[in-house]
Amino acid sequence: MLSACVSVAAALVSLAAPPSPALAAAAPAHASPPGHHHGDGAALTAEADPAEAAVIGEEHAREHARRRSAVKGPKDYPQSKRTAGLAALKASQQKTNALFDASRFGRFTEFFPSPDFGVHTALLPTGKVLLFSFERVETNPTKETGPTDRIGATNAGRAFLWDPAKGTGARAFKKVEPPTVLMPDGTYTPRPAPFFCAGHAFLPNGMVGVFGGNTGGKGGSGAKLSFVFDPWTETWYRNQDMAVGRWYPSVVTGADGRQIIMSGQSERGTGTPTPVVERFPALRHPVPWRTYDIPVGLAAERLRADAPFRNDYPHLFSLRDGMIYGLGRDADQQWLFDPVKETRADLPRRPADFRGYGSAVPLPAGFRGPDSVLVLGGDPHDPNTYRLSGGAWTTEEPRAFGRTQDDTLILPDGTLLTVNGALSTRDYGHGPFNPQADLSYRQIELRDARGHWKLGPSQRLPRGYHSNALVLPDGRMMVTGDELQQIANDPDIKDAMDGSIELYEPAYLHRGGARPALDRVPGGELGYGAGFEVGSSTAAAVTRAVLLAPTTVTHAVNTSQRHLELPITGVRGSAIGLRTPPGAADAPPGYYMLFLLDAKGVPSTAKWVKLGGRR
């Protein structure tokens, strides 16, 4: 078989055969509504050549097709152009950032290749970062990279782990391929699950529930797929399919540890968002609590309430009252869901009109869980921010300018940071599918404890659609995503490193002196409203203790963020007494990063603690 593989590859490597007429007819291009520009029908496929597949097998032939596509890509968009683009961005970043004092604005540090685009990211309680997306079908960034409208084997997903403890080289990444599935697309061709553009949230045992994906065709159609990723064994597990297909759904973890799933384009294709709300796992199944409680083959169940969002990826939040707040893109679709009574009620209309891909953050509220949400971005012509609190909206201080595709994070000191952004979907300021970008969107924005914003330094790449960011346990911020910009500025398009990651050090890491030390935390579960002790060799310098929930984010939708101050009940030598939040509505059960901070707001490196007694 090896000799046959070599001979066939030698005969075909110089050829880049066009897709067969049958395949082309099976995957027509479809016009997309505003906000949906995944597929333009112009992408090169990487379908296996039938003659080659007959000799070496479908999957092996498909890999050869990918390689031929990679060879062809640089001819359409030469490597010299990518290299020059990256060099220009590095030079302009250095020039801009020379004006910013790191002790006031922080600084961007390392920039390095990644094997994945990072369309979806999640910080795991092991300290590793899960990145997943799709197998690209195009290396020309002026064309659609993803296989949204592809039918068959090229419509596939992929996933990797990045271990920050291993640095930034290729050895720091590990492939964790999703399960092989047979999609109901008429071909039933085996491929790694196409779970890109899914929704996700954390379970109490630290696993990530992932729901939905893309079946292919129809401008993008929803998949019924349901998975969990186990960070402890670094393995994917499949559960029973959902009741409906979902492409672009949102997921949030409630106070009981179960996940609520809403919206997403159905299996009928783009333009058919589903109103069906589902809960995982179904009430007849226990909530996965321990690290070895692995959900396999579990079912979700439909709630009595529906969620008829006209547009997908709504922002979902579980606030301190135990309710689920569903904040849609449309101003008149702001809803309150009771996950126990399974009812939906109207919230007041948001002051702003339609908001596309913008961020939203549950604002820190001391030792209790959040009771208000700040909505940002989503309209390049509106820099205002909007706060929902006490059942009413207020217009808050604006950022420097409007942007979409932004990511806003809560930092350990309780301040906010916005990174990434663009004019609109696939448009960086000079037309769609044009990698040239308005570089102003590269500047971060910082919000202090009083709610005032200021512009900060620039990241290396402009990152818009599919950009992501999260806070690491050492207090740094990781930035990734936006496959078009990553491909347009790839230092070597022929290698296996399709993406890139950039690291940012907030100002609190540049204030001089030693950081607080967090040497010891309890190893077991912590109940609510309970006292516990941690050990610190710098206990006398500690003035605050905070819990920061890990982030799992995609498409500017981050439902997992949470920041809580823990009361300090006493200090005895190296022992610091703390108290956990009052209840599960304040902080849903699961893993949190615990930071100790000094009077300057400088955090320790976090350690992981688990909240919530077993149910």
Side-chain angles (χ1 to χ4, degrees):
M1 181 61 73
L2 177 61
S3 61
C5 174
V6 172
S7 62
V8 172
L12 296 175
V13 72
S14 63
L15 301 177
S20 70
L23 287 173
H30 288 263
S32 298
H36 294 272
H37 296 282
H38 264 292
D40 68 350
L44 292 176
T45 69
E47 296 284 359
D49 179 271
E52 187 176 16
V55 178
I56 63 175
E58 175 76 23
E59 192 59 32
H60 205 162
R62 179 173 162 236
E63 180 59 33
H64 286 182
R66 283 196 202 122
R67 293 175 185 171
R68 289 193 294 273
S69 179
V71 170
K72 187 175 182 179
K75 296 178 182 177
D76 296 336
Y77 200 89
Q79 181 63 55
S80 59
K81 192 169 185 177
R82 305 174 206 270
T83 304
L86 184 59
L89 291 172
K90 179 180 180 180
S92 63
Q93 180 193 31
Q94 291 175 338
K95 182 178 179 180
T96 298
N97 292 354
L99 305 174
F100 290 94
D101 177 5
S103 66
R104 294 182 57 216
F105 298 95
R107 72 175 182 183
F108 283 92
T109 56
E110 297 177 87
F111 178 91
F112 54 96
S114 163
D116 192 67
F117 299 128
V119 173
H120 304 262
T121 62
L123 174 64
L124 306 175
T126 58
K128 298 179 183 180
V129 178
L130 175 67
L131 305 104
F132 62 99
S133 62
F134 46 75
E135 290 286 1
R136 58 174 169 78
V137 295
E138 177 61 71
T139 57
N140 184 339
T142 65
K143 299 179 180 179
E144 175 56 57
T145 304
T148 294
D149 230 14
R150 302 298 124 196
I151 300 293
T154 55
N155 184 22
R158 66 183 185 188
F160 293 84
L161 287 175
W162 173 50
D163 185 354
K166 292 184 178 180
T168 60
R171 63 180 293 272
F173 295 91
K174 174 185 176 181
K175 189 171 187 178
V176 285
E177 188 165 281
T180 297
V181 297
L182 301 175
M183 297 303 295
D185 58 3
T187 71
Y188 295 93
T189 307
R191 88 291 300 269
F195 53 11
F196 54 92
C197 301
H200 31 90
F202 292 103
L203 288 162
N205 63 355
M207 298 181 187
V208 184
V210 178
F211 304 93
N214 179 24
T215 301
K218 304 176 184 177
S221 53
K224 298 181 180 181
L225 298 170
S226 173
F227 298 101
V228 296
F229 182 77
D230 179 355
W232 315 108
T233 63
E234 300 181 349
T235 304
W236 291 95
Y237 295 94
R238 186 173 182 181
N239 285 287
Q240 291 184 31
D241 283 354
M242 295 181 291
V244 294
R246 299 182 189 270
W247 185 52
Y248 286 54
S250 296
V251 185
V252 67
T253 303
D256 63 354
R258 297 181 191 272
Q259 299 179 323
I260 303 297
I261 311 157
M262 297 187 194
S263 192
Q265 306 296 313
S266 79
E267 59 270 31
R268 291 177 291 137
T270 291
T272 64
T274 179
V276 173
V277 179
E278 294 183 76
R279 171 171 49 209
F280 178 86
L283 290 178
R284 64 182 180 274
H285 299 301
V287 175
W289 198 265
R290 299 160 298 189
T291 56
Y292 51 86
D293 292 336
I294 301 174
V296 179
L298 298 189
E301 66 185 354
R302 182 170 180 172
L303 268 66
R304 289 191 295 271
D306 62 4
F309 289 105
R310 286 189 292 271
N311 288 280
D312 42 36
Y313 270 142
H315 292 288
L316 303 182
F317 297 102
S318 177
L319 299 189
R320 71 162 66 160
D321 57 6
M323 301 294 105
I324 304 298
Y325 288 72
L327 309 181
R329 298 193 205 180
D330 295 281
D332 63 338
Q333 294 200 303
Q334 315 297 308
W335 290 319
L336 179 70
F337 297 87
D338 186 325
V340 176
K341 297 179 180 178
E342 300 185 23
T343 58
R344 184 188 85 236
D346 290 337
L347 289 168
R349 181 187 177 95
R350 190 185 57 228
D353 290 327
F354 181 82
R355 315 287 289 192
Y357 292 103
S359 53
V361 178
L363 290 172
F367 72 96
R368 292 290 308 278
D371 60 0
S372 65
V373 174
L374 192 67
V375 174
L376 316 93
D379 184 345
H381 307 295
D382 182 4
N384 286 317
T385 61
Y386 300 91
R387 181 174 180 170
L388 175 66
S389 180
W393 289 94
T394 55
T395 301
E396 303 290 301
E397 181 173 308
R399 294 184 294 188
F401 50 86
R403 62 173 96 194
T404 70
Q405 328 300 328
D406 53 304
D407 294 275
T408 301
L409 296 174
I410 311 172
L411 298 181
D413 62 0
T415 61
L416 304 185
L417 186 152
T418 291
V419 67
N420 300 324
L423 179 70
S424 65
T425 306
R426 304 295 200 205
D427 189 339
Y428 310 90
H430 299 281
F433 289 96
N434 180 352
Q436 184 182 358
D438 179 341
L439 298 185
S440 63
Y441 293 114
R442 293 192 305 168
Q443 280 193 263
I444 66 171
E445 298 198 46
L446 303 155
R447 183 181 185 267
D448 63 23
R450 296 172 298 169
H452 300 317
W453 291 94
K454 62 183 179 182
L455 278 172
S458 291
Q459 60 200 89
R460 178 73 52 85
L461 295 191
R463 297 182 192 261
Y465 196 44
H466 292 162
S467 62
N468 289 310
L470 53 80
V471 177
L472 296 168
D474 62 10
R476 295 180 298 172
M477 184 180 72
M478 167 192 166
V479 185
T480 189
D482 189 335
E483 64 277 7
L484 293 188
Q485 286 295 329
Q486 291 176 98
I487 286 177
N489 299 283
D490 193 320
D492 184 358
I493 194 64
K494 294 182 181 181
D495 68 9
M497 305 295 271
D498 281 346
S500 62
I501 292 171
E502 189 164 7
L503 300 179
Y504 167 80
E505 296 175 348
Y508 52 59
L509 297 181
H510 294 275
R511 291 175 182 158
R515 297 176 66 175
L518 177 54
D519 304 313
R520 175 179 52 83
V521 298
E525 296 175 351
L526 299 174
Y528 291 105
F532 68 102
E533 282 190 348
V534 299
S536 170
S537 59
T538 61
V542 172
T543 61
R544 296 167 63 191
V546 304
L547 291 181
L548 192 68
T551 280
T552 179
V553 60
T554 186
H555 291 75
V557 175
N558 186 336
T559 69
S560 65
Q561 288 198 88
R562 218 173 194 86
H563 180 284
L564 298 105
E565 302 273 350
L566 299 186
I568 297 178
T569 59
V571 178
R572 299 190 315 277
S574 63
I576 301 174
L578 303 174
R579 184 167 294 277
T580 59
D586 296 290
Y591 287 86
Y592 291 78
M593 292 181 283
L594 172 61
F595 290 92
L596 301 179
L597 292 87
D598 65 17
K600 295 181 181 179
V602 179
S604 65
T605 294
K607 289 189 180 297
W608 293 91
V609 297
K610 186 181 180 185
L611 278 186
R614 183 183 170 196
R615 300 184 175 191

